[in-house]
Amino acid sequence: MMIPFSPPHIDDKIIDEVIAALRSGWITTGPRTKSFEQKLCEFCGVSRVLAVSSASAGLELMLHWFGVQPGDEVIVPAYTYTATAEVVIHCGAKPVMVDVRPDFLISVEEIKRAITPRTKVIIPVDIAGYPCDYDEIMALVNDPAVKAMFQPNNDIQRQLGRPMVMADAAHSLGACYKGKRAGVLSDITVFSFHAVKNLTTAEGGAICLNMPAPFDADALYKMLCTYSLHGQSKDALAKTQIGNWRYDVLEAGYKCNMTDIAAALGLIEIERYDSQILKRRKEIFDAYTLAFAQDERFQIPEYETAEKCTSYHVYALRLAHATEAQRDETMQSIFAQEVSVNVHFIPLPMLTAYKSRGYKIEDYPVTYDNYSREISLPVYYNLTDEQVAQVIKAVQQAAL
Ligand SMILES: *Cc1c(COP(=O)(O)O)cnc(C)c1O
């Protein structure tokens, strides 16, 4: 039987909680969403989290909040999923792509070279769940020379006085960096709870608010609750209070709130995320590393150091010596042994939407090298030891 790549973890506890949400009479944003937000705050050590309908919606909402507009630039890695860059295009701004390092993470040196007076936001991506070098990135945006270059065009930008750092943490819930968890490592951090992610609500996302003073997390949270719900002064729950029907619309907002049905899945998953989900994912990562580390045909990913730990989202194995075509052949031979594998990701400059905007993969040599040799192996809670052994065997037999 085919080993799938990343099936969702749905058991009776989750099904029961979803049924309870359905039976409760309240299915959109309400008590379960608020409770899930609170659990995420506690988990990440951040004071305010807004749950939203997807990471993409969360990233875009925050770009709009910050006032990113035509003429602005947002720095993103070339090696990421399209969501990171498409949200910039939706604002009419320009994604400025930079190369990554052999560990798949955005190069701080390359960010430094890419900053211009038009740079409004930097979006580092914690690829595979491994956190970027946030201390270096935050030091860079706080550098007096970078601050002097920054050209604010609204009050929020003036208050911050430098480019905003918004982590695309779609992969990295639970990752750590110097004793802190993803969520507090940058100004804004956005998680994804899409069906293939470590923790899923089917579709969903969360925005961690960690803006420095004088920004106030409570006030920002309140504002964003409205902004993510049409800009309407009262949410649906508040309007159900007897007689409380009149509302105002404060501005032309967006619609990307999380539903209580989705939050029901999240509430169950967050409770066991550390003790069960991450624990099992680490066991699988370690089994792969044990199998491939001493074999010179492979290059194993870096995922734990004294300063960092991954969320064990993607095991990004690389073939040590292979062209893109040889990697593709190896993958077909793994598929033929009934094991699903994947590639994370096809670099943005290789995709039509970005090629047609003038981006060229030749400008991102490390990105291309990482991509051309990469094969992502299955990692999920229900993957058994026997299946892990089957994956290892298939990869060993397929590799050149
Ligand atoms: C999945 C993913 C996203 C988008 O998440 P959604 O919740 O599906 O919007 C963004 N960035 C990266 C790197 C992703 O892998």
Side-chain angles (χ1 to χ4, degrees), residues 53-59 79-84 86 125-128 168-171 190-197 203-205 313 344-345:
S53 56
S54 70
S56 306
L59 290 165
Y79 198 99
T80 183
Y81 185 58
T82 183
T84 318
E86 75 195 13
V125 183
D126 298 339
I127 293 283
D168 177 339
H171 301 178
V190 181
F191 296 122
S192 172
F193 308 128
H194 175 263
V196 302
K197 301 295 174 14
E203 295 284 359
H313 180 54
H344 290 87
F345 291 96

